[in-house]
Amino acid sequence: MFSQSQTVSVIGQVVGKAAARWCHAKPLRLRKVLVVKKTSRLEVERQAVAASREAPRGVAGPSPVTDADLEATLQRRGSAMGPMQARHEVHAHNLALLLDSLGAAGIQADVLRASEYKVAPPDLAGYDAVLSAGGDGTFIDAAAHVSGDTPVIGFNTDPERSVGRLCLAPSTDLNPAECLAELQDGRFRRFARRRIRVELADGDDGARELVPVRAMNDVYVAETDAHTTLNYTACIDGGPWAEHRNSGLLVCTGSGSTAWVYNETKVDAGHVAAILELATGRPWFPAEARRVAAAYNAALVFDPTEQRLKYTQLAPIVGFGGLGMGSKSWQGHIPASGVARTMVIRSTGWHGYIAVDSSTTNPFRDGRIATLSLPDEDVLQTIALTGTPTAGPSCPQ
């Protein structure tokens, strides 16, 4: 099996190849920022217990949830409060470090929970940057409502548990004061992450509806009932339409190529060894198989600045309706996975949906058409510190 540490190393090497082409940026002048903070699991559980209670007579809201109340509730369902409390304290400590460092640098910071920000984002015109305080999920939430030249900067508040690939410094040492100093001294790289635009229409003659949120990582199409096969036709880069049946369609950006789709399509050394033995008629040493698996998995990752969609069918069904892979009608049609610049999908299913990251979900019923693209105006401006191999070449300043 290709170990997690080896996999992370390979991804870092591949994505970091473009780092040598980056240049130093102009100092980032931060006067006022919006900090979007994650809601920890402990806070979510506490809110759920509070919401389940009725307010006492004559009191405007439910009574506060004590630690003893929460622990008893969790124990009744077999969960432990201790690990949740430990992770919450790590997050809270690092969030406090970030806010203290902003204050010490003379930077005004407004703070919003990610859950509040998703529902009612403020006007961002007065902010020099949006900072996420959490992991990659919080970064995606923070970026969902940002457009134009406003940069989004991620601070990983639980680096021991979260990789934080989208964050500023994915390491175990979070030093916000040093990070802010590097930003204000120009010791960073500015680059533009591609995001997927989704436009929906009811049939060929229907008006196009622009989904307001852009996908930083991926777009997922599936049936509401997980046991129901997804049916659709698809057109890649203006080519021929092809019919497909599978358990879902996943389309990602370069940023998303290290996330869900990577874990869906990566291979382990055991499978590689078995296939090579069948192909060559000889056994393969584990080290050889690991080397092949590493090379294959590394090729799955691509630069987040590339204008490139990568699509993957989950559990594709072939051989239906005469469209076997060896038949003439199948040849030239869309393979189970591949790359594109634009993709058009027409639903021929029942109760499908199309999800844009974790931000929004839209119905994708029979006859509805989704167009996926990567326009230049939808890129997200973001930042990496010098020497941090997390993205591709910088965009013009």
Side-chain angles (χ1 to χ4, degrees):
M1 181 73 69
F2 198 48
S3 72
Q4 183 179 6
S5 61
Q6 289 174 306
T7 300
V8 170
S9 175
V10 168
I11 292 175
Q13 293 170 18
V14 173
V15 178
K17 285 182 179 179
R21 301 196 298 272
W22 292 351
C23 58
H24 288 285
K26 296 177 181 177
L28 189 63
R29 302 303 180 195
L30 299 177
R31 296 171 295 275
K32 183 180 180 181
V33 300
L34 176 65
V35 178
V36 179
K37 66 174 183 176
K38 80 171 183 179
T39 303
S40 70
R41 172 71 181 275
L42 187 76
E43 292 173 308
V44 170
E45 296 290 354
R46 194 181 297 276
Q47 291 168 4
V49 173
S52 67
R53 292 180 169 182
E54 293 185 4
R57 187 180 299 275
V59 179
S63 59
V65 178
T66 66
D67 286 349
D69 293 335
L70 179 58
E71 186 168 21
T73 300
L74 293 172
Q75 284 180 344
R76 280 195 294 272
R77 69 172 194 235
S79 296
M81 181 175 166
M84 296 183 196
Q85 181 74 45
R87 299 329 308 169
H88 171 79
E89 290 175 357
V90 170
H91 163 68
H93 171 75
N94 286 324
L95 174 62
L97 280 179
L98 172 60
L99 296 178
D100 288 346
S101 298
L102 289 168
I107 301 170
Q108 179 184 341
D110 294 337
V111 183
L112 269 181
R113 292 186 187 276
S115 55
E116 299 168 339
Y117 176 79
K118 290 173 71 172
V119 175
D123 182 2
L124 300 177
Y127 294 103
D128 298 309
V130 174
L131 277 55
S132 68
D136 286 343
T138 310
F139 183 95
I140 290 173
D141 288 341
H145 300 290
V146 178
S147 60
D149 295 329
T150 302
V152 178
I153 307 169
F155 286 83
N156 188 356
T157 56
D158 193 359
E160 293 179 357
R161 188 175 181 185
S162 170
V163 175
R165 200 172 302 283
L166 301 175
C167 296
L168 197 60
S171 69
T172 56
D173 298 317
L174 179 69
N175 190 324
E178 290 183 5
C179 291
L180 291 172
E182 292 192 35
L183 295 177
Q184 294 179 312
D185 290 345
R187 288 177 286 147
F188 64 89
R189 306 180 185 101
R190 185 188 294 266
F191 64 99
R193 290 185 183 272
R194 291 282 177 177
R195 295 190 289 184
I196 304 174
R197 173 183 293 192
V198 180
E199 296 175 278
L200 299 172
D202 291 320
D204 294 322
D205 299 326
R208 284 197 171 190
E209 169 195 346
L210 181 63
V211 175
V213 175
R214 307 294 181 263
M216 167 75 67
N217 268 5
D218 43 54
V219 171
Y220 178 56
V221 188
E223 281 285 339
T224 303
D225 183 351
H227 294 86
T228 302
T229 299
L230 176 68
N231 292 271
Y232 63 93
T233 57
C235 170
I236 298 296
D237 294 333
W241 286 86
E243 184 180 3
H244 292 280
R245 299 180 68 198
N246 48 56
S247 295
L249 176 68
L250 188 57
V251 185
C252 78
T253 63
S255 297
S257 68
T258 62
W260 183 3
V261 72
Y262 178 83
N263 291 297
E264 183 67 36
T265 55
K266 69 181 179 182
V267 298
D268 64 67
H271 286 121
V272 169
I275 293 171
L276 291 175
E277 184 173 347
L278 287 172
T280 63
R282 71 168 181 86
W284 283 67
F285 293 111
E288 295 176 304
R290 284 195 297 270
R291 187 164 55 251
V292 173
Y296 178 90
N297 293 337
L300 299 173
V301 179
F302 61 100
D303 198 300
T305 66
E306 284 189 44
Q307 195 171 21
R308 173 180 170 189
L309 297 168
K310 179 177 181 179
Y311 60 87
T312 298
Q313 298 182 55
L314 309 184
I317 302 172
V318 297
F320 67 93
L323 290 183
M325 291 190 69
S327 70
K328 183 178 180 180
S329 59
W330 178 267
Q331 295 172 11
H333 285 257
I334 300 171
S337 63
V339 297
R341 292 176 70 90
T342 60
M343 189 171 189
V344 183
I345 310 159
R346 183 195 300 269
S347 174
T348 57
W350 297 91
H351 303 290
Y353 69 92
I354 183 165
V356 179
D357 281 334
S358 59
S359 301
T360 183
T361 300
N362 296 269
F364 196 54
R365 55 188 174 271
D366 181 39
R368 205 161 206 211
I369 298 173
T371 301
L372 279 58
S373 60
L374 296 162
D376 291 340
E377 58 267 31
D378 288 343
V379 299
L380 180 78
Q381 301 298 330
T382 189
I383 280 167
L385 297 179
T386 303
T388 305
T390 56
S394 60
C395 59
Q397 298 184 53

